[in-house]
Amino acid sequence: KHLSHRLMEDDLVDTSKVARALSRLTPATPHLVIPRRAPPQVVLVCSGSFAPPHDTHALLFDRARLALEQRGETVCGGFVAPSSDKHVREKLGKDFIPLAQRLAMCQLATADSDWVAVCGLGNENASATAAHIGRVLAAAFPKTTFVVRLICGADHVAKLKLWVKPKCDHVVVGRPGFTKTVAKEIRRNNSKMVLIDEIDDVSSTLVRQCIRDKTLALLEGKVHPNVVEYMLQKVVPMWSSNC
């Protein structure tokens, strides 16, 4: 029973885009040989409510990959990992959106990406999610070494002091009021964390309000059109029935 449950959880990690990325790294010419000790492939994971996913989330992945590639690292994939219903219900209250709908919206938001996929575990523990994804990838691609890096905000890092004995590698997104402190602690602790610049964020609260009010023009360039349409067809009726 335990094995069956674990296999079901493994199926919730879509490895297809990582597989395609790795296939592009394989030499097309037979006489070319991949080095025995090829550098590890980096996979990025971003956990959160994703209620709904918006364009800033996509930008986080792009900026994180660029920062790592400038350091000489190779990024072969990324995973959007919506957190648990328990966590989101406590956080959002009347704006709660169940995991199944958040996963569907994440699928729509990442459909055009050739490297970011969706993890459907629904775990509120981000580091545990990153570790699980790492295990799934190691089992699926045993000849490849992976490093899983978790994308998180500087405010979260500062709150938990994650520069002290972190449970996984991080790419830290700068946040106003926290960036300088985190940068200082990363240097002081000789941390492996990678800090990237602050990004103008989209308020998920504002997105939900615009959806409720049908002020959709405010969402142009901020939320994938298919996600907006999904919310109008699926999420808004659910909110109405719960009132």
Side-chain angles (χ1 to χ4, degrees):
K1 184 177 179 180
H2 176 72
L3 177 60
S4 175
H5 177 70
R6 192 180 70 185
L7 291 174
M8 288 175 61
E9 287 189 334
D10 290 356
D11 288 340
L12 295 174
V13 180
D14 178 7
T15 62
S16 60
K17 292 184 180 181
V18 171
R20 288 196 291 271
L22 294 178
S23 69
R24 290 194 292 269
L25 296 174
T26 304
T29 309
H31 67 270
L32 294 178
V33 179
I34 299 177
R36 288 186 177 181
R37 293 189 178 183
Q41 300 295 312
V42 177
V43 172
L44 297 169
V45 176
C46 186
S47 180
S49 299
F50 296 101
H54 49 68
D55 289 1
T56 299
H57 295 131
L59 185 59
L60 289 177
F61 279 97
D62 290 338
R63 292 281 182 86
R65 178 170 71 167
L66 178 61
L68 294 177
E69 289 178 344
Q70 288 175 342
R71 292 162 51 93
E73 299 185 29
T74 302
V75 178
C76 71
F79 288 92
V80 176
S83 54
S84 70
D85 277 346
K86 177 178 179 293
H87 171 75
V88 175
R89 185 178 285 109
E90 292 173 352
K91 180 179 178 181
L92 301 186
K94 66 180 179 63
D95 280 354
F96 169 69
I97 303 174
L99 178 62
Q101 292 187 341
R102 289 182 285 124
L103 286 172
M105 290 189 288
C106 287
Q107 293 285 2
L108 292 171
T110 60
D112 298 331
S113 173
D114 65 351
W115 69 285
V116 179
V118 179
C119 169
L121 280 175
N123 192 336
E124 65 185 87
N125 187 319
S127 60
T129 297
H132 184 90
I133 290 172
R135 289 193 294 271
V136 171
L137 293 175
F141 311 102
K143 295 182 180 180
T144 303
T145 301
F146 293 96
V147 172
V148 180
R149 285 189 177 272
L150 188 62
I151 301 174
C152 59
D155 50 340
H156 178 72
V157 170
K159 178 182 178 181
L160 300 180
K161 297 183 178 179
L162 291 179
W163 50 78
V164 181
K165 296 181 180 179
K167 294 182 179 179
C168 60
D169 292 330
H170 292 81
V171 176
V172 184
V173 184
R175 292 280 191 269
F178 297 94
T179 304
K180 290 183 179 179
T181 298
V182 171
K184 178 182 177 181
E185 293 297 339
I186 288 176
R187 291 192 298 270
R188 191 166 72 87
N189 291 273
N190 195 27
S191 172
K192 294 181 180 179
M193 290 180 175
V194 177
L195 179 64
I196 64 176
D197 292 339
E198 297 174 9
I199 297 174
D200 291 335
D201 200 1
V202 173
S203 167
S204 294
T205 302
L206 176 61
V207 171
R208 293 191 298 272
Q209 192 59 53
C210 287
I211 293 292
R212 285 183 180 276
D213 298 340
K214 293 187 170 56
T215 51
L216 306 183
L218 297 176
L219 300 180
E220 291 183 9
K222 296 179 180 178
V223 184
H224 195 292
N226 291 347
V227 172
V228 173
E229 187 63 25
Y230 183 94
M231 291 196 74
L232 292 172
Q233 292 185 4
K234 302 290 187 180
V235 178
V236 171
M238 179 203 67
W239 282 339
S240 299
S241 66
N242 290 341
C243 291

